[in-house]
Amino acid sequence: MTLTKLLTATTALTLVAGAAAAEEMTIVSWGGAYTASQKGAYHDPYSANTGVTIINDDSSAEAVAKLRAMSEAGNVTWDVVDVVAADAIRLCDEGLALEIDADTMLADAPDGTKASEDFGDLLVSDCFIPQIVYSTTFGYRTDLVGDTAPTTVCAVFDTEAYPGKRSLEKRPINNMEWALLCDGVAKDAVYDVLATEEGQQQALDKLATIKDDVIWWSAGADTPQLLADGEVVMGSTYNGRLFAAIEEQKQPIGMLWDAQVFDLDGWIIPAGLSDERKERALDYIMFATDTQRLADQAQYISYGPARKSSAPLVGKHKTLGIDMAPHMPTDPNNAKNTFLYNYEFWADYRDDIDAKFQAWLAK
Amino acid sequence: MSDSTANGLVLAADGTPLKRSLSRAMRRQKMRAFMLVAPLLIFVLLTFIYPIGVMLSRSVQNDIVPETLPETVRVLGAWDASIGELPNEAVYAAFMRDMSVAIEAKRHTRLGSRLNYEKTGFSSMFRQSGRKMKKLDPITDAPFKDKLIKIHKGWGDVETWKTLQTYSGLYTSGYFLNAVDARMTPEGMAWQPEDKQILLKLFGRTLVMSLIITGSCILLGYPIAWLLANVSPRNANLLLILVLLPFWTSLLVRTSAWKVMLQQNGVINEVLVWIGLVPDGDRLILINNEFGTIVAMTHILLPFMILPMYSVMQTIPPVYLRAAKSMGATNWTAFWRVYFPQSIPGIGAGSILVFILSIGYYITPEIVGGTKGVFISNRIAYHISSSLNWGLAAALGTILLIVVLALYWAYDRIVGIDNVKLG
């Protein structure tokens, strides 16, 4: 008798545990302020509405490799993954991400505009659900640049007017484009030039003029720290990092929006989820990428919402109380001269140019 | 006591020859011993040797090409690339049939990224062609040669088909060639263009810098280990805690602390400028170069050197030194001729530990190495997590493993592996 009771009890417990486990989902993102903004704008309201517990995993930086390993092991433990657009393209190519039909799987805008139109060109891959527009741009130390603050991106290459170290990312992407722009190549022609051996050499030669003055970074937090320590006069990083350094930590740093390179960050759903998990992931995505939710995220961090219909809804910062619109990379005042990252080009040339870039760095 | 028979065989008590009886008993004992270690052995095989073997075997695997394009590979085998003419319609038709199956299964883009490692442009060519080829029927829409070339001009380029032919086998040496700055071309092996050669240089740098790091660990660690072994136990415990304290601190914290110390506005430079040793405008560059990597890694790996040295030195009786001195040796002779030879096993164990650990390090070089202080592991990490070129990463890893084994063998020949003690 006792044995039967015990068995019944344990079975019941297992069932309860199973049911509880079913109401959990793992969402992968970048961690830090970025995950916090998603928690405030998406996770908390979604949990409150549905009772689903959301587990945050800060693995986005290695998401592509980890997803591939999980998929090969046949055990994908992630439900929704936040990646940059280039990684989404790679995952889609590898068959590791679910293809999304924007019009049926994503919410319409409040005025009834279809999602595919609301996101427009930003749907750069069949698997990618855009979330924010961010930019890689330059910040400079206001007290170290003298009387004339830099106004163009070419100030980075002008060591006479702005002596001192600069920090650039330790990879060819963006640096090669800026080098060509400042070497007299027209904006429209940059990728055509960069597709040729001579063009790649030209870009490296231009970078060589400042090679001794560059500190190369590999983590987004490096440049704000280097600027704060006075190690560099100017440096490239993501605009949200600079916003945090300027507005939240009150560092003497100015924004140089010229030739900022727009890039996208968003969601993918891993391929090979069970139907039940897939349904829940899609349900979450439907909620988290609607017009109001995308606008809400901008209360926490200075990245522009990916939907056209969200832009007018962007309000004030949740804790600082300042207007967020002027800090968005997409704000008309900031976006006078912008540069759009060419995904197709870099998907092809990334490995080739990266090998050359690293060999050049090691010289 | 056993009896000897006429033919000289020694018999056991039960009449069987003693030799056989002994060996049977030994075998049983060996079996029992083996059964005891079997669980661990199986565990190690399953969770360590097997996965590593699988990973390393990727360095030669190329089955994605013949599996995705089985018919094309077969037909293309008969094509003579050296004439410089495009393959005939049969190849294009076979390719079309293979592709329509691959597109259905969404495998063509994977193949595109695989081949893009060999020839830039394949990734977008397969992705774009896939969208358009989906609309063609592999039977009724024949012939395909012109249609495919219209879809993407890459299919009209002889080089495209040469690359496909070169990489059509189940196995390839391409990754290993890439790992030593060479590549496989339709004409055979060739060196990479000079502006892409980097990996051999990084291998060399990794070895040289690991040796320097090992050397500085010996120099710094030896006196500390000696002190530990020769002060009173109370003080030795305190010293040991000081040695272990950084060991218990997170690696990232220690590395970042070196950044604060060494940067141009960092602690060391500020102090040097303040006492006037270095002019303000000409501060020392101590980080983001080889120096930074060596300093930070020596500090991080020092405990691995000190601990084996200490445990060996503890076993050296101090009476030997006293005896040497009583027989007229100077301090130096006593140390060099009597003490030092006995401490060599500790140095050997520490050196092997430190060298092998530093050869595979990548976080510290990544953070403080700048451009001149990065190791081959940084490239392996890049190919594992960013470029997803796991084949090349596996080839680099295999080479590194072979280098370590070769060095271990050389060490065994020169110093003798029996001469290594961990205590």
Side-chain angles (χ1 to χ4, degrees):
Chain A
M1 276 313 267
T2 37
L3 188 67
T4 336
K5 254 187 208 161
L6 190 70
L7 274 177
T8 332
T10 41
T11 320
L13 269 178
T14 326
L15 280 178
V16 171
E23 292 303 318
E24 273 180 2
M25 63 192 294
T26 305
I27 296 185
V28 181
S29 189
W30 299 92
Y34 192 66
T35 294
S37 75
Q38 290 174 327
K39 193 169 173 300
Y42 314 146
H43 303 350
D44 289 348
Y46 185 74
S47 294
N49 288 350
T50 60
V52 173
T53 314
I54 289 175
I55 302 164
N56 288 298
D57 184 334
D58 303 339
S59 301
S60 279
E62 307 98 47
V64 185
K66 283 196 174 171
L67 259 181
R68 192 198 222 184
M70 281 185 194
S71 153
E72 285 188 6
N75 181 23
V76 179
T77 58
W78 293 346
D79 295 288
V80 179
V81 187
D82 188 292
V83 287
V84 292
D87 284 344
I89 293 175
R90 217 161 249 242
L91 286 166
C92 210
D93 279 355
E94 294 270 333
L96 297 171
L98 187 75
E99 286 193 11
I100 299 290
D101 176 20
D103 285 340
T104 57
M105 296 180 180
L106 303 177
D108 295 341
D111 62 0
T113 313
K114 283 282 170 202
S116 58
E117 203 176 309
D118 205 10
F119 283 111
D121 299 339
L122 305 189
L123 291 163
V124 293
S125 156
D126 296 336
C127 306
F128 182 62
I129 307 134
Q131 186 187 151
I132 55 146
V133 178
Y134 71 96
S135 80
T136 309
T137 189
F138 282 89
Y140 58 89
R141 276 286 290 234
T142 46
D143 53 342
L144 295 179
V145 291
D147 299 332
T148 48
T151 51
T152 96
V153 70
C154 298
V156 175
F157 295 91
D158 188 352
T159 45
E160 257 170 51
Y162 303 101
K165 297 251 181 201
R166 304 82 170 90
S167 60
L168 294 174
E169 190 172 5
K170 203 196 279 184
R171 61 173 198 173
I173 296 171
N174 297 347
N175 295 331
M176 301 289 269
E177 288 101 318
W178 283 322
L180 286 182
L181 280 177
C182 292
D183 206 29
V185 176
K187 205 154 85 173
D188 306 335
V190 164
Y191 285 109
D192 293 333
V193 174
L194 208 50
T196 63
E197 300 261 326
E198 299 76 41
Q200 292 158 14
Q201 197 53 50
Q202 185 187 351
L204 290 178
D205 287 345
K206 180 69 180 176
L207 284 169
T209 60
I210 54 166
K211 194 175 175 188
D212 292 339
D213 298 300
V214 175
I215 294 177
W216 301 95
W217 60 267
S218 42
D222 287 349
T223 291
Q225 191 58 49
L226 289 166
L227 282 167
D229 290 349
E231 285 285 302
V232 296
V233 197
M234 54 182 83
S236 68
T237 187
Y238 315 124
N239 71 292
R241 300 276 189 173
L242 289 170
F243 171 81
I246 297 169
E247 296 295 341
E248 288 166 17
Q249 292 146 27
K250 303 287 175 202
Q251 297 287 344
I253 298 172
M255 291 288 283
L256 176 59
W257 288 105
D258 184 53
Q260 52 165 325
V261 182
F262 278 155
D263 200 345
L264 304 170
D265 188 85
W267 304 109
I268 60 106
I269 298 174
L273 294 183
S274 69
D275 284 344
E276 189 193 345
R277 286 173 63 197
K278 195 170 95 178
E279 285 308 313
R280 199 169 43 228
L282 283 168
D283 187 55
Y284 171 84
I285 288 293
M286 173 80 100
F287 171 80
T289 61
D290 72 11
T291 301
Q292 185 59 48
R293 247 44 62 183
L294 288 185
D296 285 350
Q297 195 188 359
Q299 296 174 351
Y300 301 90
I301 203 154
S302 64
Y303 294 125
R307 277 180 188 262
K308 294 186 195 94
S309 58
S310 299
L313 302 177
V314 170
K316 287 185 189 311
H317 191 280
K318 198 87 174 175
T319 51
L320 297 175
I322 50 173
D323 255 337
M324 287 306 277
H327 296 282
M328 293 292 161
T330 42
D331 186 74
N333 277 324
N334 302 334
K336 283 176 194 147
N337 180 24
T338 65
F339 198 84
L340 195 63
Y341 180 100
N342 186 331
Y343 299 101
E344 196 103 291
F345 175 86
W346 279 114
D348 277 350
Y349 284 85
R350 181 160 147 176
D351 301 326
D352 183 40
I353 295 184
D354 192 77
K356 286 180 186 161
F357 183 77
Q358 299 296 340
W360 172 81
L361 272 185
K363 247 193 259 176
Chain B
M1 291 289 123
S2 29
D3 309 315
S4 288
T5 53
N7 54 12
L9 267 180
V10 182
L11 294 180
D14 60 352
T16 51
L18 181 62
K19 223 177 178 179
R20 198 185 315 155
S21 164
L22 251 179
S23 72
R24 194 184 303 147
M26 288 292 278
R27 205 177 320 133
R28 215 175 299 134
Q29 240 174 16
K30 269 188 198 156
M31 272 305 280
R32 207 176 306 140
F34 180 76
M35 295 292 274
L36 276 175
V37 297
L40 181 67
L41 188 70
I42 293 168
F43 178 78
V44 168
L45 277 177
L46 279 182
T47 61
F48 191 68
I49 309 284
Y50 173 73
I52 288 182
V54 169
M55 196 64 209
L56 294 185
S57 71
R58 282 171 190 270
S59 56
V60 290
Q61 272 168 11
N62 191 45
D63 42 8
I64 180 168
V65 183
E67 270 171 23
T68 316
L69 305 173
E71 216 181 319
T72 315
V73 164
R74 203 160 34 78
V75 185
L76 200 59
W79 174 60
D80 184 3
S82 59
I83 300 172
E85 276 175 26
L86 285 174
N88 56 20
E89 173 63 25
V91 171
Y92 283 91
F95 180 69
M96 182 67 218
R97 281 193 291 276
D98 285 339
M99 276 294 274
S100 57
V101 177
I103 291 167
E104 193 63 37
K106 299 202 177 70
R107 281 204 314 254
H108 63 296
T109 43
R110 275 183 76 180
L111 181 63
S113 355
R114 155 70 187 101
L115 289 170
N116 200 63
Y117 300 136
E118 312 303 340
K119 194 168 183 305
T120 301
F122 266 70
S123 173
S124 68
M125 189 159 79
F126 272 88
R127 198 178 316 115
Q128 290 167 4
S129 306
R131 278 187 214 122
K132 293 176 187 158
M133 285 168 82
K134 214 191 277 185
K135 299 186 188 104
L136 293 178
D137 185 284
I139 297 160
T140 52
D141 279 326
F144 292 105
K145 190 166 178 173
D146 295 333
K147 288 200 182 92
L148 286 182
I149 294 173
K150 214 179 139 207
I151 282 178
H152 198 292
K153 63 179 191 310
W155 303 118
D157 185 354
V158 182
E159 293 300 318
T160 303
W161 297 102
K162 276 187 179 173
T163 309
L164 258 178
Q165 198 185 35
T166 314
Y167 288 94
S168 59
L170 269 174
Y171 299 96
T172 177
S173 56
Y175 291 125
F176 273 102
L177 289 176
N178 280 347
V180 292
D181 287 333
R183 68 201 153 106
M184 209 159 83
T185 66
E187 290 79 33
M189 195 205 110
W191 292 108
Q192 293 274 26
E194 201 164 326
D195 61 351
K196 278 176 83 173
Q197 292 184 9
I198 178 174
L199 297 169
L200 281 182
K201 193 187 213 169
L202 284 183
F203 271 118
R205 180 193 287 168
T206 306
L207 290 179
V208 169
M209 288 190 41
S210 297
L211 280 176
I212 297 177
I213 290 161
T214 313
S216 32
C217 277
I218 296 176
L219 286 182
L220 291 175
Y222 198 90
I224 299 175
W226 188 85
L227 205 62
L228 273 170
N230 288 287
V231 292
S232 70
R234 231 173 63 101
N235 290 339
N237 277 341
L238 189 72
L239 268 176
L240 203 59
I241 287 174
L242 289 182
V243 169
L244 288 175
L245 203 59
F247 208 42
W248 296 330
T249 320
S250 152
L251 176 70
L252 282 172
V253 171
R254 278 183 285 165
T255 309
S256 306
W258 276 113
K259 238 169 144 168
V260 176
M261 292 291 287
L262 296 175
Q263 62 187 3
Q264 289 204 289
N265 290 318
V267 178
I268 291 180
N269 263 313
E270 290 289 348
V271 170
L272 288 178
V273 168
W274 182 66
I275 56 176
L277 269 179
V278 169
D280 196 11
D282 199 20
R283 290 169 179 241
L284 302 177
I285 301 171
L286 302 170
I287 203 167
N288 296 323
N289 53 16
E290 299 98 325
F291 184 79
T293 305
I294 291 172
V295 169
M297 281 184 57
T298 302
H299 170 237
I300 285 164
L301 295 173
L302 204 50
F304 292 97
M305 184 64 87
I306 294 177
L307 293 176
M309 279 185 179
Y310 166 55
S311 63
V312 167
M313 286 179 185
Q314 258 190 327
T315 63
I316 304 174
V319 286
Y320 288 175
L321 271 183
R322 285 205 295 269
K325 279 193 215 164
S326 75
M327 292 160 105
T330 60
N331 279 345
W332 170 251
T333 321
F335 166 75
W336 186 245
R337 301 279 300 278
V338 175
Y339 193 87
F340 183 75
Q342 296 186 80
S343 65
I344 282 179
I347 300 179
S351 302
I352 289 185
L353 267 179
V354 169
F355 183 77
I356 290 179
L357 280 173
S358 65
I359 228 175
Y361 245 61
Y362 86 97
I363 294 179
T364 306
E366 182 72 39
I367 296 177
V368 298
T371 59
K372 296 273 195 308
V374 295
F375 283 13
I376 192 72
S377 332
N378 298 79
R379 285 275 86 191
I380 298 181
Y382 169 80
H383 286 299
I384 287 279
S385 62
S386 289
S387 83
L388 278 197
N389 192 349
W390 286 9
L392 179 55
L396 291 169
T398 310
I399 293 178
L400 203 55
L401 184 64
I402 292 171
V403 168
V404 170
L405 289 178
L407 285 170
Y408 183 79
W409 177 81
Y411 182 89
D412 187 28
R413 293 298 298 271
I414 299 165
V415 186
I417 211 66
D418 303 335
N419 231 340
V420 165
K421 259 196 231 155
L422 282 164

